[in-house]
Amino acid sequence: MKSPLLSLPGAVPAEGVDEGVAAHYGELFREQRALADGTGFVDLSHRGVLTVTGADRLSWLHLLLTQHVSELPAGQATEALILSANGHIEHALYLVDDGETVWAHVEPGTREALLAYLESMKFFYRVEVADRTGEFAVVHLPAGSIAPVPEGVVVRETAHGRDLFLPRADLESYAAAQGPAAGLLAYEALRVEAHRPRLGFETDHRTIPHELGWLDTAVHLQKGCYRGQETVARVQNLGKPPRRLVFLHLDGSEVHLPVAGTPLHLASEGAEGRKLGFVTTAVRHHELGPIALGLIKRNVPLDAELVAGDIAAAQEVVVEP
């Protein structure tokens, strides 16, 4: 779904899964600094929006999600995962309940499969699931923003900022009143700086929550059964995940960034050495320079010097080995 904000001056379209919104509006670092200072907003209208209504909405979602939501207070934001039977991450949901409806935004390209799964699990529960992407657009206000929220708009507030479920028809008028807009590259740079994983970027077909630090924010370890819980409990109680998320400081003298999937090797062995992992997201940060997130084997020493392709990469621990 193409955003009308791509008509703003300087807008450069994002590519790949983020197609449909602006990567930037011509001044990447200015846009980053604005977000870091708590000003501006980010157009996330390419993300899917789902709602769940009905008397059983919270107790029903509690059975399906990794998060404890059966008693979720109205207005309290949370995030949750849906796992496969083997404990691999399939979906990530960013949730808030307004007292009558659970609102969730999800990664672009995932809502149809998620909606189909939720519909298949309704059984006798008093719930209705709806795809509201055509009616509502997600807009992100950065942490510290004092921008007013239009009356009646559902807000999901976290330490990283506020996500607004804005009527899609109001997107252009909101941008005119609350600009300047910041592009997705600025948003992603702050996400990487904060070590926050993203489905489809830091995950592959075999990722489990422990590898990414999602146990801290999206998984409740004391709740009842859900699909994949056995794997979560077994790894948490009896073992260690095979991989761990790392934050990488990249050599700033290089003009290019490593693309997602670039192999990580020991610097002493070079590109011909053993593959220890791979880059998941690489960005240019307005203060830190080129940085990245990556997944590496758990037993890689914490002080090991790495290379991402041909770019030196110093690791910083995100998930303890």
Side-chain angles (χ1 to χ4, degrees), residues 111-258:
R111 75 180 192 274
E112 291 182 357
L114 175 57
L115 184 65
Y117 172 71
L118 294 176
E119 287 286 354
S120 74
M121 299 300 292
K122 285 169 62 173
F123 301 117
F124 55 85
Y125 290 95
R126 296 171 295 171
V127 294
E128 292 297 330
V129 185
D131 181 357
R132 309 294 295 278
T133 310
E135 304 166 68
F136 292 91
V138 179
V139 169
H140 175 77
L141 299 177
S145 172
I146 59 173
V149 176
E151 186 175 354
V153 169
V154 175
V155 179
R156 181 181 175 274
E157 185 163 1
T158 73
H160 303 289
R162 290 175 289 169
D163 298 332
L164 278 55
F165 293 89
L166 188 74
R168 192 169 287 273
D170 297 342
L171 191 55
E172 288 183 276
S173 60
Y174 183 86
Q178 302 300 333
L184 198 68
L185 289 181
Y187 178 84
E188 284 287 280
L190 300 188
R191 177 183 72 81
V192 171
E193 178 192 16
H195 308 164
R196 295 167 56 207
R198 183 178 173 190
L199 182 77
F201 286 63
E202 280 60 58
T203 66
D204 58 20
H205 67 283
R206 59 191 179 99
T207 306
I208 60 175
H210 315 64
E211 296 176 324
L212 303 183
W214 248 329
L215 290 186
D216 297 330
T217 59
V219 178
H220 194 285
L221 293 173
Q222 279 74 51
K223 65 162 288 188
C225 273
Y226 54 87
R227 190 174 70 174
Q229 187 215 14
E230 199 172 293
T231 297
V232 171
R234 184 171 63 250
V235 174
Q236 177 67 11
N237 297 324
L238 301 176
K240 295 285 188 178
R243 303 177 296 181
R244 58 185 177 88
L245 186 70
V246 291
F247 180 73
L248 301 170
H249 293 273
L250 303 174
D251 181 0
S253 65
E254 298 290 342
V255 297
H256 65 281
L257 290 173

Side-chain angles (χ1 to χ4, degrees), residues 2-175:
K2 185 177 179 180
S3 172
L5 302 192
L6 284 172
S7 63
L8 291 178
V12 174
E15 298 178 346
V17 70
D18 289 320
E19 184 179 4
V21 295
H24 61 85
Y25 295 90
E27 298 182 75
L28 174 60
F29 289 150
R30 181 196 62 76
E31 294 165 29
Q32 281 189 36
R33 287 191 289 269
L35 292 182
D37 291 340
T39 61
F41 71 93
V42 183
D43 176 14
L44 299 180
S45 61
H46 63 316
R47 293 183 65 83
V49 176
L50 302 181
T51 59
V52 183
T53 55
D56 296 334
R57 66 189 184 281
L58 291 177
S59 58
W60 175 68
L61 285 170
H62 186 79
L63 299 173
L64 305 177
L65 304 180
T66 57
Q67 189 59 275
H68 195 300
V69 297
S70 61
E71 299 169 7
L72 184 67
Q76 180 175 309
T78 192
E79 57 188 86
L81 308 173
I82 290 177
L83 308 180
S84 72
N86 293 322
H88 301 138
I89 300 169
E90 292 189 343
H91 293 283
L93 297 85
Y94 298 85
L95 307 159
V96 68
D97 184 83
D98 67 5
E100 296 181 350
T101 301
V102 174
W103 294 77
H105 65 79
V106 299
E107 288 294 335
T110 68
R111 75 180 192 274
E112 291 182 357
L114 175 57
L115 184 65
Y117 172 71
L118 294 176
E119 287 286 354
S120 74
M121 299 300 292
K122 285 169 62 173
F123 301 117
F124 55 85
Y125 290 95
R126 296 171 295 171
V127 294
E128 292 297 330
V129 185
D131 181 357
R132 309 294 295 278
T133 310
E135 304 166 68
F136 292 91
V138 179
V139 169
H140 175 77
L141 299 177
S145 172
I146 59 173
V149 176
E151 186 175 354
V153 169
V154 175
V155 179
R156 181 181 175 274
E157 185 163 1
T158 73
H160 303 289
R162 290 175 289 169
D163 298 332
L164 278 55
F165 293 89
L166 188 74
R168 192 169 287 273
D170 297 342
L171 191 55
E172 288 183 276
S173 60
Y174 183 86

